[in-house]
Structure formats: C-alpha cells, structure tokens
Amino acid sequence: MIVDLGSYVQLGGRPAVRFERLLPAPIERVWAAVTDPEQLPAWFPSQVRYEPRVGGEITFLGDPNLPEPPQVDRVLAWDPPHRFAFGWGGDEIHLELSRTEAGCRLVLLNVLVSADTAARNATGWYGCLGELDKVLQGIPSDGPHSQPLADFWPLHDAHVAAGLPHGAWIPDEVLAARPS
C-alpha cells in the first residue's frame, strides 16, 4: 500500500508538491543529510556543490534527467539547521526542519515551473525521501537513480489518481519500463 504520497499545493500562485516526514533522528543529523555535499548523493538526484549563504551559487552534476551538466543556480535560503532553499532548473526546492519530541519534522516543497510536472516530480521525490530515510537509519543507499525504472509507474499512477496534474516529459528509458 502506498501512503503519504505528498500533496499538490499552490505557493504564491505557483504550483508545488509538498511532502512532510516525521523522522526519528535529531535535527542536526537530518540537517547534515540534507545539506552536506558528501551525503546528498545518497538520496538527492544530483551531486551538489554550493556556497552556504543566501545568494550563493549552487551547482548540480550527475543527474541524468537534467540538461547537460553542470547546472548552476542560487541558494534562496540558508538558516542552519532549519531552512535550506535553492533554485533547481527553474523550480525551487525548499527544505524546512523543526525539532519534535521524537526527532525532526522535514518539509520538502518543490515549487514547480509548470503544473503538469507535479505527478512526475512527486513520484521522484517520494523515492528520494525513501532513500533519505535509509540514510538516516544507517542503511546503505545507492541513491535514488538505483531504483528499478518500473517502480516509477505504480507511484506515478497513484499520484495521477490522487489528482496531481500530469503530462510532463518523462525520460525515454522510464517510458520504456512502463508495464503493458
């Protein structure tokens, strides 16, 4: 059963997908996992280098779904250990952390260039957050691109069934893995 697929929201009139996770890890551990360039490839779809300050340059490498690397954007928010946001190929990624009694609450918000990318991106983030959970539990992760391509489709279909806008470009190799 698929649970907590994330939700489609509007932020300042822009489409976005939002995920919230309650993580049984201290906020400092989660902050390190979501900001340390050495830890990011275990769950985030790109290798990342950045200047840790608002307005700093952020560079993405190694994501097969981005145009020819490197992609360069800007850090939009930097408030350790609570908030990290940055531009990403026209989208924005906002990571917000807060302490809870059991550990940390993480909110990931992907502000989208186009609403029709909601189901596709939500499917990707669902997988990425699963890999982040592994990292925080100390379970080895080969990163989000290591998941079988066929695993994309049940999640994507669940997002579409939940009403998330869809229809955006999907990589050819993922399309080819769609079950008949």
Side-chain angles (χ1 to χ4, degrees), residues 3-106:
V3 294
D4 190 20
L5 290 173
S7 56
Y8 179 74
V9 297
Q10 295 277 324
L11 182 68
R14 289 184 64 191
V17 291
R18 181 183 185 277
F19 288 88
E20 183 172 334
R21 296 288 192 266
L22 297 175
L23 304 167
I27 192 171
E28 295 80 8
R29 173 70 184 106
V30 178
W31 179 256
V34 301
T35 62
D36 179 351
E38 297 298 318
Q39 294 185 52
L40 279 163
W43 73 273
F44 190 79
S46 299
Q47 296 172 19
V48 179
R49 285 185 256 138
Y50 65 94
E51 300 171 84
R53 62 178 177 81
V54 173
E57 191 172 274
I58 186 165
T59 304
F60 306 96
L61 301 157
D63 185 338
N65 300 314
L66 287 178
E68 286 299 315
Q71 293 294 303
V72 178
D73 219 307
R74 293 283 167 216
V75 173
L76 304 173
W78 180 257
D79 181 19
H82 300 287
R83 194 158 178 246
F84 181 34
F86 49 88
W88 189 45
D91 285 4
E92 294 177 6
I93 306 300
H94 296 259
L95 300 163
E96 294 187 17
L97 284 68
S98 56
R99 292 181 201 279
T100 66
E101 285 184 26
C104 179
R105 179 175 72 100
L106 167 70

